[in-house]
Each structure stands twice: as structure tokens, then as C-alpha cells.
Amino acid sequence: MKITHVEVWTVPVPAPSPPFKWRAGLPGSGVAGERGILRIGTDTGATGVAYASRPGSASMLRDLVDRVWRDELLGQDPLQREHLYHRIWELDRLEEFALPYLGTVDLALWDLAAREAGLPLWQFLGGARTRIPAYASTTTFDTTEEFLAVADRALELGYPAIKLHAWGDARRDAALCQALRDHVGPDVPLMYDGSAGFDLPDAISLGHALSDANYLWYEEPMREFSVSAYAALGRAVRVPLLSAETSDGSYMNSADFVSAGAATFGLRLSSELRGGISGAMRTAHLADAFRLRAEPHGMGEAERHLCMAVSNATYYESLVTHTEFVRTDGIDAEGYLLAPVGPGVSLPRGLDYPHALADYVNPDPVALALAAA
């Protein structure tokens, strides 16, 4: 089997409705635009795709394919993923690929191989479970009262845990975290994500408040450039740290966080930010070797598969963008994400794809289960 074509397709993605906000200093939910889809095809007819979710990805992928990736991939065996994974890293030495694109080729190759095997990716990777609890991961609301109302709705919908993205003010966020703990009681797992809004002194101060409120993990209070700063934070606070979501270097950099004592809960996984499926699985196995957790980040289709394939994952992240939200597709009434069905990875559901890409969209497992009941 040889790669014979490498191409980019586009799909229009509407703006979130209603729009939502992040912490102070960050842009909000953004506007409508096109996203890119990488498709790799072979002389046997086997194909694989990878969806690039970032704004501007269509033009970025076209440039990378036309200028770098197509010449590298044509004629190669698509099943030699390890060889091609290292080739992308070699090209990165001069190109310095933007972090979300380091794993795009790898994801498409894993999709191709799983489709050829007739298996969902999570089963092709080995499989650890068929469902996992989902947590409601808030965007940023204006008032404490709105956050508490969102928490109530999340629990009513079956979500067993809640994560806050708050305002980016250490004292105000600390008060919110305690108010949420008081509101939901001692038994609901709570987490906090700082979206890299703080320096070390404020991160330590907020970390003490999270410890006092018994939060499960503390995520990205600072930019993840300084492992030393995170190591100092890990020594100063009792709340466990979930680290290395956006740091360059994939599993290699993640290893530095672990060895420095800067990932005391575990490591973030992402096909998009950890160098594809190959990088994410390396990260998960690294964390497991140190008896740490490996938590998939965000709501991508690949992350659903990682949740089912990685034995040391705890939750699936389900983003909550407004107060009248409903459960994300794939999540049942008990708050569990069900294992994806259909071969490969799947493109995200609900978008207006060109006809040639329609067969790459797999059904919602919850809808299938309800139809069969």
C-alpha cells in the first residue's frame, strides 16, 4: 500500500450561538469560518482524514500540504506510522509547525488504519472501557449566581463533576471556587482551569483556596513555558496539578513536568496539542509509568476515542457555553460518554460537509442506543 494523494478539503463552521466568553484578557467564542480537513489516500483505495478545529486551519493546512507534506508523504507506506511520525518531527526542526498541526498527519494515518481494520479507533488502539463519566466544563459567566445555576443544571442532567473557567482574578476566582463547593456539597468532584491567567504568586494564593475547598485538580494557572515555575507551585500547594496541555514538545516536554514534580495529578492528552494519536498515547503511557492520570482535553472526536483507549483517564470534558445547555451528543442520561461507533475516528457531526466527506461522519452512539431500545 502506498500513499498516492494528499489533499485538503474545507467545511464551513458557524459561530457558536449564543456566543460565550473566556477569562479577562482572552477573546470570546469567535466568528464563523472555514476549517480544514486533511485527507490521505492510497493506491488500494484506503483513505483517512483528520479534522483541524482551529480558526484559519483551512489555509494553514493548504500551505503545509502544498509546500511540505505532500512531497514527504507521496509513495510512503501509510501503515508505517512510526516512521512518518518521526519524519514530521524532523521537518519540524526547520518548519516549527504550529502546535495544533504537529499531529494532523498522524491522526489521518491512524484513521486510515482503523478504517482498514473496520474498527473504531479506540478498539484499534486496544480499548480500556466502553463508557466514561463526563464533566461539565464551563465557559466564563458574568456572576457567581450564573455559575451556580449552571452547576445545578449540570447535576440535573447527570454530569457527575464540574470544572470552572472563571474570571482570571485570583481573589475573585477563589471566592467563586469556595461558593461552588458550598453550593454543591462535599461529594461532587470539582476542578478549576486558570486558562494561563496568573503569575506564580497569584497561582500559589489561588492554589491554597482550591486545597481548602477540596478541588480534584488545578489546571493551567500559568503559561506552560516554565517547568521551574510549575515545580515551585507543586511544592507550595496541596491541590494536585494537571499539567502540560499547551507546552511544546509533546511527550518529551511532558516528561519534564513529571520529573520536576509539576504534574501531581497527571498530564493533559490531546491529539491536537500532544502530537497526534502517537504523541497522546506516548503521553498516557508516560503518565501511567509514574502512576499519574492522563486526562483527554476538549471535545474533539479523537479525544472521545482516547477516553476509551487510555486506562488512566478519569473523565471526558464536555464544554458548557450557556445557562440553558443540554448534554453533548454521545453523553447519556447518567452523564457517561459512550464509546464511539463506526470505523476510524469520525469527523464531527452536524457540519455541512462536501458529499465526498459524508461517509467519514459516524453516528451518535446514544442515538443508536435509544433507537435500539
Side-chain angles (χ1 to χ4, degrees), residues 291-351:
R291 312 310 300 144
L292 295 168
R293 308 288 175 85
E295 299 295 337
H297 166 258
M299 296 170 56
E301 293 299 318
E303 280 56 54
R304 298 173 187 246
H305 291 270
L306 289 172
C307 280
M308 304 303 160
V310 171
S311 62
N312 49 334
T314 312
Y315 291 107
Y316 171 71
E317 182 171 20
S318 178
L319 193 64
V320 171
T321 61
H322 56 97
T323 55
E324 298 300 319
F325 66 98
V326 296
R327 284 186 294 271
T328 307
D329 68 343
I331 298 175
D332 69 11
E334 295 180 333
Y336 279 84
L337 176 75
L338 303 187
V341 296
V345 177
S346 180
L347 294 176
R349 290 179 285 277
L351 299 179

Side-chain angles (χ1 to χ4, degrees), residues 122-170:
W122 66 271
Q123 285 187 319
F124 189 66
L125 288 168
R129 59 178 65 83
T130 58
R131 67 176 196 160
I132 193 170
Y135 65 87
S137 181
T138 77
T139 50
T140 303
F141 298 94
D142 290 332
T143 66
T144 296
E145 290 71 26
E146 285 180 285
F147 275 106
L148 299 184
V150 165
D152 288 340
R153 182 162 179 82
L155 296 175
E156 289 168 3
L157 290 173
Y159 288 94
I162 300 164
K163 188 179 82 173
L164 294 176
H165 292 87
W167 300 296
D169 178 312

Side-chain angles (χ1 to χ4, degrees), residues 276-301:
I277 299 300
S278 295
M281 293 303 290
R282 281 167 159 81
T283 304
H285 296 154
L286 167 69
D288 191 41
F290 285 91
R291 312 310 300 144
L292 295 168
R293 308 288 175 85
E295 299 295 337
H297 166 258
M299 296 170 56
E301 293 299 318

